[in-house]
Amino acid sequence: MKIHEYQSKEIFSRYSIPVTNETVCYTADEVVAATTKFGLPVVVKAQVLTGGRGKAGGVKLARTIEEAREAAEKILGMDIKGYTVEKVLVAEGVKFNSEFYVGLTIDRNSKSVIFMASSEGGVEIEEVAKENPDAIHKFVIDPDLGMTSFVARKIAFKLFNDFSLVKQAVDLFQKLYQIFLDTDASLVEINPLVVTDAGNLLALDGKMNFDDNALYRQPAIEALNEPDEDEKKEIAAKDSGLTYIRLDGNIGCMVNGAGLAMASMDVIKYFGGNPANFLDIGGSSSPQKVIDAMNLLMSDKNVKVIMINIFGGITRCDDVARGLVTALDQMKVDIPIVIRLSGTNAEEGLRIISEKNLPIVNSLSEAAKEAIRLVNN
Amino acid sequence: MKIHEYQSKEIFSRYSIPVTNETVCYTADEVVAATTKFGLPVVVKAQVLTGGRGKAGGVKLARTIEEAREAAEKILGMDIKGYTVEKVLVAEGVKFNSEFYVGLTIDRNSKSVIFMASSEGGVEIEEVAKENPDAIHKFVIDPDLGMTSFVARKIAFKLFNDFSLVKQAVDLFQKLYQIFLDTDASLVEINPLVVTDAGNLLALDGKMNFDDNALYRQPAIEALNEPDEDEKKEIAAKDSGLTYIRLDGNIGCMVNGAGLAMASMDVIKYFGGNPANFLDIGGSSSPQKVIDAMNLLMSDKNVKVIMINIFGGITRCDDVARGLVTALDQMKVDIPIVIRLSGTNAEEGLRIISEKNLPIVNSLSEAAKEAIRLVNN
Amino acid sequence: MSILINKSTKLVVQGITGRDGSFHTGKMKAYGTNVVAGVSPGKGGQTVHDIPVFNTVEDAVKATGANTSVIFVPAPLAGDAILEAADAGVELVICISEGVPTLDMVKATSYLKKKGVKLIGANCPGLITPEESMIGILPGNIFKKGNVGLMSRSGTLTYLMVSLLTSAGLGQSTCVGIGGDPVAGLYYQELLQMFEDDPETEAIVLIGEIGGDAEERAAQYIKDHITKPVVAFIAGQTAPPGKRMGHAGAIISSGSGTAAEKIAAFESIGVPVARLPIELPELVKKRLAERK
Amino acid sequence: MSILINKSTKLVVQGITGRDGSFHTGKMKAYGTNVVAGVSPGKGGQTVHDIPVFNTVEDAVKATGANTSVIFVPAPLAGDAILEAADAGVELVICISEGVPTLDMVKATSYLKKKGVKLIGANCPGLITPEESMIGILPGNIFKKGNVGLMSRSGTLTYLMVSLLTSAGLGQSTCVGIGGDPVAGLYYQELLQMFEDDPETEAIVLIGEIGGDAEERAAQYIKDHITKPVVAFIAGQTAPPGKRMGHAGAIISSGSGTAAEKIAAFESIGVPVARLPIELPELVKKRLAERK
């Protein structure tokens, strides 16, 4: 789960990490009022849950009230990578003399939180990673130790020579780590972290992502979620125990297991078809899940054929079959269905399904080919 | 540092550990008022910073208002092991059907916090430890894990069969451990922890001690300290970097290092003398410490002779000598002083001291014998 | 021989009284796995499929000598269950539970490393040494004893691959589902080394997917340490970037973690990669034949 | 030979710019200890007694190859300093600082165990291998090279004992002050074993004090594992119960931890205990003579 810059910085503020004076605005008038309050110059920044807003023109410096209004009018309503800008952040302009990058995320290899720091702040860190990887210092945080003073100091000395900045950084790094733990984050980033002309560290921008698996114990974070239309569908699916991602093809897929679902998409594409979605009905299925999945597939008007590929393990084929039979009894399904069932309780599943007279195929390749044949009819 | 039962239970309450309804009272009238508020019966308990109040008659059950007043009048002002009872705790009487012991302390051998639990609650745990050591379950808490649910559950299943009690206990044990960490405790004890007739766990008594070395970061705990007269002197000494314990002899001792100070007392006793105190001026001495130490020794009217035994290491003998010379210049010292100096900068120290014409001896045994000879003169 | 589990494995099931735990305990027992105990706090003394249930893993291990644990508890309790198993002295823990918070896994993997206890998962289907022991939720009937070692980040995709191998006459030494979470227990490198050291394993199948760089690291490890033939498959060749494909790990971000990169990493060191699942058995046979 | 430190020990001093750190660095250097670096955050680039100062222990170790660290920082910072030393890769850490919170030591000792790093202290005077290396605050001139290994919970009492040994012609292989705090690094058992294994050590002196049961455990360990002669001394024979005698450890509670119990524990296994410090050298000589 992602949140906006201003929400991240509100969390930073709660931990006494210094951020710019700023306020979120929904209209140009609000932007003008905020500008008047803060004094000139200000920076007007699009708040959208995607990257690359700078390149898209979503960040503007305003040196006059008129410029602030103009910036607000241009940015509000702007489309950035398919996201419409509905609010902007107006932040007091700050004079600074250097920019740094700091970020915390999970490192798969060390199985720990990793702290990244770079003197090349203010640009996209992915670019730094490609062009000058040595400029990014990485520190694996031992989970038993946490961000103790010496670890924070080790990092801080990589960025700063001035001991006053080192001391500020130690405090800031410890707080960032605490935020990471307290909120079950998957990413906490300040880019840029600047040194103001007055010699203080300040978070000019902020970014946080969260571990979806931990949201159940983070109600305050979950309350910040602003899903778009596709995501709402995905969330509703997740509430039913399904993982759904809408794509732009016409073969609706219902598969159990993420890997098999991806492989099923790959096979469809390999034979020239186009999957309409990724849909993993997960393990531990109940008949209700299959009914929900069928409803989800049928709600996409692009879907011309449904391909069901189940390999039973924790999922029982008989549960899937029962769910499918019930779904077909309850709802009008006027498009063809191709089914492949194997694994746990497959025989029982096939027996149940046989009453509905649906086409049953024996391999994934066959299923894909049959689905493609049907969609092309 | 120790605190009273009622203070411990206030801390428990802050962590939502269930304790009896209770209030601390300073007069018999207050006790009567509290009794009226809670309803009968109540228990009136002496609040003193020493053990054994039960055996001394400092805990009484009152079934009538008159009994409550009588109990208050008897207990308030009572002397328990040299401590005068200045306040009592009036606690609502509770019906319970079993008593347990739980306690957390530091285990030197595992270098960890250790959790002790026993079904034989309500009696002195030291007695259980002697008579039936197997009745005390001990669990070393891995500092990297803390009191995770499974650890708390393992302990709880040793005490309870009823799963409802196990669940209450898991919650309570986790809170106790958190209290231990949060307050830098050295001991947290509930004895007895009772199961009420309603089937709930309840802390009937509570005890907490704290790590003196950590008080600097526990101002709220330090504020609870109620030192007696001797302890006030010890605390004042500690503020000067001295460790002072008053004893009942007449040979004032000034030594650097706890081990050497104890050994010096042992040697004095061995030769038939009586040390007036334990006084460790510690490492890293400054001349001022020695001046403070001399003031401390001279404030005890029992002291008839002063024996100084310094073996320089981190303590420099010249610092001690300078402090002693200054002290002798500033204050009237009308009792004899015996001095032994060796180790770091001993020669310089002896040179400085030589101007004062004090008796210098070469060994601890000699020093002790000389001090005893002088006190017997 | 085989890796990790065999006939002498004595299994304790954490969460044995739950719907899934109970169901799959029955399946495991029916397969021939030596399930000696179950754990469910507060239900000690009961039995499930004639298997005694204990309140704690410690009690279960003391009473039965269990040396391996499989976990079926709900995700919020899974991290603690892993710690409990390791504390109780088992040698191997398999966590089936899906949706375990990442920071819980960070704590668990750190503790297990300290204790020297091996972990598989979380969010994995388990593992099987065919005709000896099956632990987890694998459909036993598709596996067959043989000489192919298999490891996979996926569950059901593994079943598909295994059924193709078995149909083609290629039995398996041990098959391990390592799970799809960002922080998990044993990973490709450790398992590659175990298969390399296992005399019964003659070829290794590695099934990967998009996201992260585990496959690239595995390729490097194979180059440096593995002499046995390896064949790979990568799921998600057509997945769009920025979308998380079910597994927490299966996300392509910032132009890294793509199937193309992973396939290139394997092929550059001579590890063939099947484009369709159905191609896999032939590639394995070819590599085995080349070797002889 | 000797234990823990010798001529090849390369020392880094944490807190070298403080009053005590600087003073004792001078003393250590004068004794011949190979002090290669100092650490004081924010003072990197300076020198103290011609020794280069670094901002972090890691920098110091990288630049100088230091393998041992001694800590002179204020107590509230000492726990972190121990962790920093261990993280930077030294093999042995000696913490002189007094008054370190117990829970900081719990965390530090746990981490050092995981890292395989040895710790002496906190709240200890350090250790010395006479005429090779002195680390800490020991007055070097009282020590003399020889064959008695000594360990003590006390600081200055150790100096007294050593000066008595030296005067009696009994030199020392290594003398270690283990510190008087409730949670500390190396304890009697580990050091007893090191002295047992050290060919240069012929007799062992153990100086204990009231409080805890470390001496009783040491007696048990001697009985089970130590073949060399051991002589003991216990401070606090006349200390009143319930009063903490300076050392956090030195408290007699509930009738346990008394000097009488400890003396009895040693004497019951044939380890003689000196009643007066001055008796110690003769007991050592007698035990050495008995052995030959």
Side-chain angles (χ1 to χ4, degrees):
Chain A
M1 188 198 125
K2 295 174 181 181
I3 59 173
H4 291 291
E5 173 195 0
Y6 77 93
Q7 294 170 320
S8 302
K9 286 157 92 181
E10 276 169 16
I11 295 174
F12 293 173
S13 279
R14 234 172 286 148
Y15 283 77
S16 309
I17 290 175
V19 300
T20 37
N21 287 321
E22 57 189 33
T23 188
V24 67
C25 300
Y26 295 79
T27 65
D29 287 345
E30 284 175 25
V31 170
V32 167
T35 305
T36 312
K37 189 179 105 195
F38 292 136
L40 290 160
V42 296
V43 182
V44 182
K45 301 193 267 188
Q47 299 293 292
V48 279
L49 295 172
T50 184
R53 65 178 179 184
K55 283 180 190 158
V59 178
K60 290 188 189 300
L61 176 71
R63 300 188 177 281
T64 64
I65 294 284
E66 292 68 36
E67 282 180 15
R69 180 177 292 280
E70 268 171 47
E73 283 167 353
K74 267 199 191 132
I75 297 172
L76 283 164
M78 179 185 268
D79 179 279
I80 300 179
K81 294 188 185 171
Y83 290 81
T84 304
V85 180
E86 287 168 359
K87 45 194 170 186
V88 293
L89 186 62
V90 179
E92 189 176 31
V94 174
K95 284 191 182 157
F96 55 86
N97 55 52
S98 52
E99 298 176 85
F100 299 86
Y101 168 92
V102 294
L104 284 152
T105 188
I106 294 286
D107 178 44
R108 287 151 186 271
N109 299 306
S110 62
K111 300 172 189 181
S112 302
V113 178
I114 191 168
F115 195 104
M116 295 167 295
S118 175
S119 302
E120 305 199 3
V123 295
E124 276 191 33
I125 197 67
E126 288 83 359
E127 283 174 22
V128 181
K130 263 183 207 158
E131 281 158 32
N132 189 9
D134 290 347
I136 303 177
H137 306 286
K138 293 181 178 177
F139 298 83
V140 170
I141 309 302
D142 185 319
D144 297 333
L145 281 188
M147 183 69 79
T148 51
S149 306
F150 88 83
V151 175
R153 220 160 43 226
K154 253 169 63 171
I155 303 172
F157 273 117
K158 298 279 182 201
L159 300 187
F160 306 107
N161 291 317
D162 179 347
F163 194 50
S164 146
L165 291 173
V166 168
K167 282 191 280 188
Q168 291 179 53
V170 164
D171 182 60
L172 188 144
F173 295 170
Q174 292 187 307
K175 285 170 176 165
L176 278 186
Y177 183 74
Q178 199 56 50
I179 290 173
F180 194 95
L181 296 192
D182 288 353
T183 62
D184 274 302
S186 56
L187 177 75
V188 178
E189 230 177 49
I190 302 180
N191 187 21
L193 174 71
V194 301
V195 177
T196 64
D197 284 1
N200 295 317
L201 290 182
L202 184 79
L204 217 60
D205 196 351
K207 187 174 174 184
M208 291 186 73
N209 295 345
F210 302 94
D211 175 7
D212 291 345
N213 283 344
L215 286 179
Y216 75 89
R217 63 186 179 196
Q218 298 288 352
I221 298 298
E222 200 171 19
L224 302 178
N225 201 10
E226 293 180 8
D228 61 29
E229 286 313 306
D230 276 358
E231 283 166 345
K232 276 181 194 161
K233 220 163 174 176
E234 290 164 17
I235 289 168
K238 213 186 167 188
D239 288 343
S240 314
L242 309 171
T243 308
Y244 174 79
I245 294 164
R246 193 170 179 279
L247 303 169
D248 50 13
N250 48 22
I251 300 176
C253 303
M254 184 195 309
V255 189
N256 66 322
L260 190 60
M262 281 190 282
S264 302
M265 286 161 51
D266 293 345
V267 173
I268 290 170
K269 281 251 185 184
Y270 184 88
F271 288 113
N274 264 313
N277 60 275
F278 170 99
L279 173 57
D280 172 13
I281 63 168
S284 189
S285 68
S286 67
Q288 186 57 43
K289 262 195 190 176
V290 181
I291 300 169
D292 293 337
M294 283 298 290
N295 275 313
L296 201 52
L297 291 180
M298 295 304 293
S299 73
D300 179 355
K301 294 305 154 204
N302 291 338
V303 170
K304 301 293 176 232
V305 58
I306 290 173
M307 181 181 109
I308 300 176
N309 184 20
I310 301 296
F311 216 120
I314 201 162
T315 306
R316 307 185 201 172
C317 290
D318 56 332
D319 279 346
V320 174
R322 259 186 289 273
L324 187 59
V325 166
T326 311
L328 294 176
D329 288 344
Q330 286 177 356
M331 60 201 287
K332 188 171 162 281
V333 177
D334 51 4
I335 53 173
I337 300 177
V338 181
I339 304 176
R340 177 168 184 270
L341 285 185
S342 50
T344 308
N345 295 12
E347 282 177 31
E348 174 70 1
L350 292 171
R351 195 195 56 72
I352 292 168
I353 236 156
S354 62
E355 67 178 69
K356 286 285 167 188
N357 236 340
L358 295 170
I360 290 167
V361 292
N362 283 320
S363 81
L364 174 53
S365 296
E366 269 181 65
K369 284 187 214 163
E370 176 66 8
I372 293 166
R373 191 188 65 78
L374 289 165
V375 92
N376 290 338
N377 269 3
Chain B
M1 187 198 125
K2 295 174 181 180
I3 61 173
H4 291 290
E5 173 195 1
Y6 77 93
Q7 294 170 319
S8 301
K9 285 157 92 181
E10 277 169 14
I11 295 173
F12 294 173
S13 279
R14 232 170 287 146
Y15 284 77
S16 309
I17 291 176
V19 301
T20 37
N21 287 322
E22 57 189 35
T23 189
V24 68
C25 299
Y26 296 79
T27 65
D29 286 346
E30 284 176 23
V31 170
V32 168
T35 305
T36 311
K37 189 179 103 195
F38 292 135
L40 291 159
V42 295
V43 182
V44 183
K45 302 192 266 189
Q47 299 294 291
V48 278
L49 295 172
T50 185
R53 65 177 178 183
K55 284 180 190 158
V59 177
K60 288 189 189 300
L61 177 71
R63 301 188 176 281
T64 64
I65 294 284
E66 292 66 40
E67 282 180 16
R69 178 177 294 280
E70 268 171 47
E73 283 166 353
K74 267 198 190 133
I75 296 173
L76 282 164
M78 178 184 268
D79 179 278
I80 300 178
K81 294 188 184 171
Y83 291 79
T84 304
V85 180
E86 287 168 358
K87 46 194 170 186
V88 293
L89 185 63
V90 178
E92 190 176 30
V94 174
K95 284 191 181 157
F96 55 87
N97 55 52
S98 51
E99 298 177 83
F100 299 85
Y101 168 91
V102 294
L104 285 153
T105 187
I106 293 286
D107 177 45
R108 289 150 185 271
N109 299 306
S110 62
K111 299 172 189 182
S112 302
V113 177
I114 191 168
F115 195 105
M116 294 167 296
S118 175
S119 301
E120 303 199 4
V123 295
E124 277 191 33
I125 196 66
E126 289 82 359
E127 283 175 20
V128 181
K130 263 185 206 156
E131 282 159 32
N132 190 8
D134 289 346
I136 304 177
H137 305 286
K138 293 181 178 178
F139 298 84
V140 170
I141 309 302
D142 184 320
D144 297 333
L145 280 189
M147 183 68 80
T148 51
S149 305
F150 88 84
V151 175
R153 219 159 44 225
K154 253 169 62 172
I155 303 172
F157 273 118
K158 298 279 182 203
L159 300 187
F160 307 106
N161 290 317
D162 179 348
F163 194 51
S164 145
L165 290 173
V166 168
K167 282 190 281 186
Q168 291 179 53
V170 164
D171 182 61
L172 189 146
F173 295 170
Q174 292 188 307
K175 285 169 176 164
L176 278 186
Y177 183 74
Q178 198 58 49
I179 290 174
F180 194 95
L181 296 190
D182 288 353
T183 62
D184 275 301
S186 57
L187 178 75
V188 178
E189 230 177 50
I190 301 180
N191 188 20
L193 173 71
V194 302
V195 178
T196 65
D197 284 2
N200 295 317
L201 291 183
L202 183 79
L204 217 61
D205 196 351
K207 187 175 173 184
M208 291 186 73
N209 295 346
F210 302 94
D211 175 7
D212 290 346
N213 283 345
L215 287 179
Y216 75 89
R217 62 186 180 196
Q218 297 289 352
I221 298 298
E222 199 170 20
L224 302 177
N225 201 8
E226 292 179 8
D228 61 27
E229 286 314 307
D230 276 358
E231 284 166 344
K232 277 181 194 160
K233 222 164 175 175
E234 290 164 16
I235 289 167
K238 211 184 170 190
D239 289 342
S240 314
L242 309 171
T243 309
Y244 174 80
I245 294 164
R246 193 170 179 277
L247 303 168
D248 50 13
N250 48 21
I251 299 177
C253 303
M254 182 196 309
V255 189
N256 66 320
L260 189 60
M262 282 190 280
S264 301
M265 287 161 50
D266 293 346
V267 173
I268 290 170
K269 281 252 187 185
Y270 185 88
F271 288 113
N274 264 313
N277 60 276
F278 169 98
L279 172 57
D280 172 13
I281 63 167
S284 188
S285 67
S286 66
Q288 186 57 42
K289 264 195 186 174
V290 180
I291 300 170
D292 294 338
M294 283 299 289
N295 276 313
L296 201 53
L297 291 180
M298 293 306 292
S299 74
D300 180 353
K301 294 305 154 205
N302 291 337
V303 170
K304 301 294 177 232
V305 58
I306 291 174
M307 181 181 108
I308 301 177
N309 184 20
I310 301 296
F311 216 121
I314 201 163
T315 306
R316 307 185 202 172
C317 290
D318 55 333
D319 280 346
V320 173
R322 258 185 290 270
L324 186 59
V325 166
T326 311
L328 294 176
D329 287 344
Q330 286 177 357
M331 61 200 287
K332 188 171 160 280
V333 178
D334 52 2
I335 54 173
I337 301 177
V338 180
I339 305 175
R340 176 169 184 271
L341 286 185
S342 49
T344 308
N345 295 11
E347 283 178 31
E348 174 70 2
L350 292 172
R351 194 193 57 71
I352 292 167
I353 236 155
S354 62
E355 67 179 69
K356 286 286 167 188
N357 238 339
L358 295 170
I360 291 165
V361 293
N362 283 321
S363 83
L364 173 52
S365 295
E366 270 181 63
K369 285 186 213 164
E370 176 66 8
I372 293 165
R373 191 187 65 77
L374 288 166
V375 94
N376 290 339
N377 268 5
Chain C
M1 283 281 289
S2 55
I3 69 166
L4 292 164
I5 61 170
N6 53 42
K7 276 239 169 290
S8 68
T9 297
K10 295 170 87 174
L11 186 70
V12 52
V13 180
Q14 291 176 256
I16 195 169
T17 58
R19 182 183 188 271
D20 292 335
S22 164
F23 176 78
H24 290 286
T25 297
K27 290 275 178 195
M28 289 189 283
K29 205 179 164 191
Y31 190 77
T33 306
N34 188 15
V35 186
V36 297
V39 172
S40 184
K43 296 187 177 159
Q46 301 184 5
T47 60
V48 172
H49 300 294
D50 294 329
I51 297 157
V53 178
F54 298 87
N55 285 323
T56 67
V57 183
E58 188 180 60
D59 288 349
V61 167
K62 276 189 187 153
T64 67
N67 59 10
T68 300
S69 174
V70 65
I71 293 170
F72 284 98
V73 306
L77 310 177
D80 193 64
I82 296 171
L83 299 172
E84 179 174 5
D87 171 77
V90 303
E91 297 154 18
L92 173 66
V93 182
I94 300 101
C95 184
I96 310 299
S97 314
E98 187 183 338
V100 185
T102 305
L103 288 177
D104 293 1
M105 291 305 298
V106 167
K107 184 172 180 181
T109 50
S110 170
Y111 181 69
L112 266 63
K113 191 177 165 192
K114 190 167 87 170
K115 283 278 192 177
V117 174
K118 295 189 190 79
L119 172 69
I120 296 174
N123 189 15
C124 82
L127 77 168
I128 183 169
T129 291
E131 293 158 41
E132 296 203 24
S133 186
M134 185 279 280
I135 299 178
I137 60 175
L138 301 158
N141 60 311
I142 61 171
F143 295 86
K144 192 186 142 194
K145 200 171 186 64
N147 305 106
V148 176
L150 181 145
M151 64 190 84
S152 171
R153 273 162 78 182
S154 163
T156 48
L157 177 57
T158 307
Y159 313 157
L160 173 65
M161 293 310 200
V162 166
S163 63
L164 292 172
L165 289 171
T166 298
S167 303
L170 292 164
Q172 303 90 41
S173 54
T174 302
C175 298
V176 186
I178 63 176
D181 279 356
V183 173
L186 293 183
Y187 236 76
Y188 294 134
Q189 279 100 311
E190 293 98 327
L191 293 168
L192 281 165
Q193 191 59 55
M194 288 181 200
F195 281 129
E196 175 76 13
D197 297 341
D198 173 35
E200 207 175 73
T201 300
E202 291 177 6
I204 303 170
V205 170
L206 187 157
I207 299 170
E209 62 187 33
I210 53 167
D213 64 352
E215 289 77 9
E216 286 87 338
R217 286 177 178 258
Q220 186 60 46
Y221 193 85
I222 291 166
K223 190 182 163 204
D224 296 342
H225 300 101
I226 305 300
T227 62
K228 294 182 179 176
V230 182
V231 176
F233 177 82
I234 304 295
Q237 297 168 53
T238 61
K243 290 286 184 181
R244 207 177 76 177
M245 292 288 154
H247 284 177
I251 182 168
I252 306 173
S253 55
S254 319
S256 78
T258 64
E261 286 168 300
K262 293 171 191 298
I263 291 170
F266 283 120
E267 292 187 339
S268 74
I269 57 153
V271 169
V273 182
R275 288 304 190 283
L276 283 176
I278 206 153
E279 295 172 4
L280 189 86
E282 285 314 308
L283 287 176
V284 175
K285 283 184 179 172
K286 201 173 145 214
R287 292 282 283 121
L288 276 170
E290 279 168 15
R291 209 195 182 196
K292 278 162 191 168
Chain D
M1 284 279 291
S2 55
I3 70 166
L4 293 165
I5 59 169
N6 54 40
K7 276 240 169 290
S8 69
T9 297
K10 294 169 87 174
L11 186 69
V12 51
V13 180
Q14 290 176 256
I16 196 170
T17 58
R19 183 184 188 271
D20 291 336
S22 164
F23 177 78
H24 289 286
T25 297
K27 290 275 179 195
M28 289 189 283
K29 204 178 164 190
Y31 189 76
T33 307
N34 188 15
V35 187
V36 296
V39 171
S40 185
K43 296 189 177 155
Q46 301 183 6
T47 61
V48 171
H49 299 295
D50 293 329
I51 296 158
V53 178
F54 298 87
N55 285 322
T56 68
V57 184
E58 188 181 60
D59 288 350
V61 167
K62 275 188 189 155
T64 66
N67 59 10
T68 300
S69 174
V70 64
I71 293 170
F72 283 99
V73 306
L77 309 178
D80 192 64
I82 296 171
L83 299 173
E84 179 173 6
D87 170 78
V90 303
E91 297 154 18
L92 173 65
V93 182
I94 299 101
C95 184
I96 309 301
S97 314
E98 187 183 340
V100 185
T102 304
L103 288 177
D104 293 1
M105 291 306 298
V106 167
K107 183 173 180 180
T109 51
S110 170
Y111 182 68
L112 267 62
K113 190 177 168 194
K114 189 168 88 170
K115 283 278 192 178
V117 175
K118 295 189 189 79
L119 172 69
I120 295 175
N123 190 15
C124 81
L127 77 168
I128 183 168
T129 292
E131 293 160 41
E132 297 202 23
S133 185
M134 184 278 279
I135 299 179
I137 60 175
L138 301 158
N141 60 311
I142 61 171
F143 296 86
K144 191 187 142 195
K145 199 170 187 64
N147 306 105
V148 176
L150 181 146
M151 64 190 83
S152 171
R153 272 163 78 182
S154 162
T156 48
L157 178 57
T158 307
Y159 313 157
L160 173 66
M161 293 309 202
V162 166
S163 63
L164 293 171
L165 288 171
T166 298
S167 301
L170 292 165
Q172 304 90 41
S173 53
T174 303
C175 297
V176 186
I178 64 176
D181 279 355
V183 172
L186 293 182
Y187 237 75
Y188 294 134
Q189 280 100 311
E190 294 98 327
L191 293 169
L192 282 163
Q193 191 59 55
M194 288 180 200
F195 281 129
E196 175 76 12
D197 297 340
D198 172 36
E200 207 174 74
T201 300
E202 290 178 7
I204 304 169
V205 170
L206 187 157
I207 299 169
E209 61 186 33
I210 53 168
D213 64 352
E215 289 77 7
E216 286 86 339
R217 287 177 178 258
Q220 186 61 45
Y221 194 85
I222 291 166
K223 190 182 163 204
D224 295 343
H225 299 100
I226 305 299
T227 63
K228 295 182 179 177
V230 182
V231 175
F233 177 84
I234 304 294
Q237 296 169 55
T238 60
K243 290 286 184 182
R244 206 177 75 178
M245 293 287 154
H247 284 177
I251 182 168
I252 305 173
S253 55
S254 319
S256 78
T258 64
E261 286 169 298
K262 292 171 192 299
I263 291 170
F266 283 121
E267 292 187 338
S268 75
I269 58 153
V271 169
V273 182
R275 288 304 190 283
L276 282 176
I278 206 152
E279 296 173 2
L280 188 86
E282 285 315 307
L283 287 176
V284 174
K285 283 185 181 172
K286 200 173 147 216
R287 291 284 280 121
L288 276 171
E290 279 168 13
R291 208 193 182 196
K292 276 160 191 167

